[in-house]
């Protein structure tokens, strides 16, 4: 199966390990993710914070490219990109006047027909957990995983949700299929601070301290995410958060695709795991998973 | 620093851009209760809604609230009256930029402009430039410098910006050109 794929800016730079593990894990499941032959930034949170027009236009540029390239839904890996692209598509599909305006002013001819899915949604619709479980050669026994969904995969629910908004379970079910112990905890959809990580770091320290503390209290020995900014905030800022709040945690932060790859027996130690700032190999080594 | 023009009615402007009218709000406070940044804001999200209802544009646009909003969408999601509170924050930021007001959180306001500037120039967000430019503009040139050795070691720093194709460049520049005209047009 082939799907058009939108990686997003950070998957080509500081979160390369997400892209690498996405390709490895989905390739293993016989799903080919074909990157758009060209694309621009979706605008993330900065575009909509400044201008609704710019937000919709930047997304429409990419959505138009995808429409021209393939009939299947466009797949996004980054939660922010997914959120903006999906919202643009849903808004413009229902508002012909606004679609026409965007097309005119940005010299586009976007139709707003092709759906936009996140990788997790693709996994559920086209693969299923039974199939995933059948391909596992190294069940993740010993891993107590707190699944962290963050904000943009689940809100605004009317536009983007493909799972429950307050208590999503898709990633938990995936972790169970991979053989890990699923930890139930109350901070699944609490904000990590997003781009405030750069513009007001102490806020991200506070929010991530809360997430990391609650995951630890709930009994998790790692956290799994589906967003490069969430992963970066919980990983890169973990030490800073611990310093600022005397936090007592040391949790590796995995992308769900990295854990999929581990469970499938693929070797991503150097290309992916070693790119994390918090040691993400020791836990897996302890349980003979690498 | 504030633009002399643009004395438009903030309540009408907001009502024109959200699905349900602001008069629907009955001040239940769920937006403020769910907001992860409320602990740091000078005015709670629910109070911002009330102030807009009362036409208090200057108080609203001088708040730290509209800048500290992380766009997590919890407010809009939890509102029992379907008020898109997050969109209201977007609208307030947009007005603030358009009127060239001094933001109560200048670093955050600068961040969005710097981010978009790199997208305009390169098609993709250029991380290193965003970090460096923001550090300089906010007077903290060495912020996060202790992270650099680890980032280098982990190959997380990309030194060269992306090169966009001519086709994408044309589209990106069209979009930004209109956005710039919108910013200069005080009547809109």
């Amino acid at each position: 199966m082939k799907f058009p794929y939108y990686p997003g800016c950070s998957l080509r730079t500081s979160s390369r390990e997400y892209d690498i593990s996405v390709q490895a894990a989905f390739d293993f499941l016989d799903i080919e993710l074909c990157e758009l032959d060209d694309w621009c930034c979706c605008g993330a949170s900065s575009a909509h914070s400044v201008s609704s027009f710019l937000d919709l236009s930047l997304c429409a540029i990419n959505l138009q490219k995808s429409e021209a390239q393939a009939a299947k839904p466009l797949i996004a890996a980054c939660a922010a990109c997914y959120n903006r692209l999906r919202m643009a598509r849903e808004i413009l599909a229902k508002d012909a006047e606004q679609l026409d305006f965007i097309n005119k002013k940005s010299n586009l001819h976007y139709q707003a027909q092709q759906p936009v899915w996140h990788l997790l949604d693709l996994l559920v619709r086209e693969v299923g957990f039974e199939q995933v479980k059948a391909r596992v050669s190294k069940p993740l026994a010993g891993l107590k995983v707190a699944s962290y969904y963050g904000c943009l995969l689940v809100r605004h629910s009317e536009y983007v949700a493909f799972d429950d908004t307050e208590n999503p379970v898709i990633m938990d079910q995936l972790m169970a299929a991979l053989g890990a112990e699923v930890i139930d905890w109350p901070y699944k959809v609490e904000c990590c601070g997003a781009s405030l990580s750069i513009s007001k770091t102490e806020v991200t320290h506070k929010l991530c301290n809360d997430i990391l503390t609650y995951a630890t209290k709930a009994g998790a020995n790692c956290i799994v995410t589906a967003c490069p900014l969430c992963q970066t905030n919980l990983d890169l800022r973990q030490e800073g958060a611990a310093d600022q709040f005397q936090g007592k945690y040391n949790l590796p932060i995995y992308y769900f695709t990295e854990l999929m790859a581990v469970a499938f027996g693929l070797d991503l130690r150097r290309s992916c795991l070693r790119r994390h700032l918090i040691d993400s190999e020791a836990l897996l080594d302890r349980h003979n998973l690498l | 620093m504030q633009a002399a023009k643009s004395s438009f009615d903030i309540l009408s402007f907001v009502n024109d851009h959200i699905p349900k009218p602001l008069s629907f709000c009955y001040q239940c406070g769920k937006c403020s209760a769910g907001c992860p940044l409320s602990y740091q804001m000078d005015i709670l999200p629910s109070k911002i809604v009330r102030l807009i209802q009362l036409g208090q544009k200057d108080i609203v646009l001088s708040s730290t609230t509209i800048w500290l909003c992380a766009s997590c969408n919890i407010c809009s999601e939890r509102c029992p009256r379907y008020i898109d509170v997050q969109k209201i924050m977007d609208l307030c930021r947009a007005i603030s930029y358009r009127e060239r007001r001094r933001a109560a959180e200048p670093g955050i306001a600068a961040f969005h402009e710097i981010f978009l500037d790199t997208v305009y120039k390169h098609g993709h967000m250029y991380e290193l430039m965003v970090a460096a430019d923001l550090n300089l503009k906010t007077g903290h040139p060495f912020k996060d410098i202790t992270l650099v050795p680890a980032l280098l070691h982990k190959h997380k720093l990309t030194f060269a910006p992306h090169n966009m194709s001519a086709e994408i460049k044309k589209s990106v520049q069209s979009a930004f050109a209109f956005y710039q005209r919108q910013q200069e047009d005080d009547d809109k």
Side-chain angles (χ1 to χ4, degrees), chain B residues 2 14 28 47 60 66 84 97 100 102 111 115 123 132 152 162 165 178:
Chain B
Q2 271 170 230
V14 165
C28 72
K47 295 268 155 57
V60 167
I66 64 174
D84 197 342
Y97 281 116
R100 292 192 235 287
R102 176 154 220 287
F111 168 79
F115 181 106
L152 278 170
H162 173 73
S165 67
F178 183 78

Side-chain angles (χ1 to χ4, degrees), chain A residues 3-7 11 18-19 21-23 25-26 29 31-33 74-79 82 116-127 129 153 162 170 174 225-228 255-257 260:
Chain A
F3 288 86
Y5 172 59
Y6 178 87
L11 265 77
Y18 188 19
D19 192 36
S21 59
V22 162
Q23 298 289 350
F26 279 81
L29 294 171
I31 292 187
E32 196 183 329
L33 295 167
L74 174 63
I75 310 299
C78 164
Y82 164 68
V116 178
W117 291 353
H118 184 262
L119 283 169
L120 286 169
D121 201 5
L122 169 66
L123 196 63
V124 168
R125 288 179 197 247
E126 300 290 329
V127 182
F129 299 122
L153 289 181
F162 53 91
I170 287 178
L174 173 62
T225 70
C227 169
Y255 289 105
F256 72 94
T257 42
M260 282 171 75

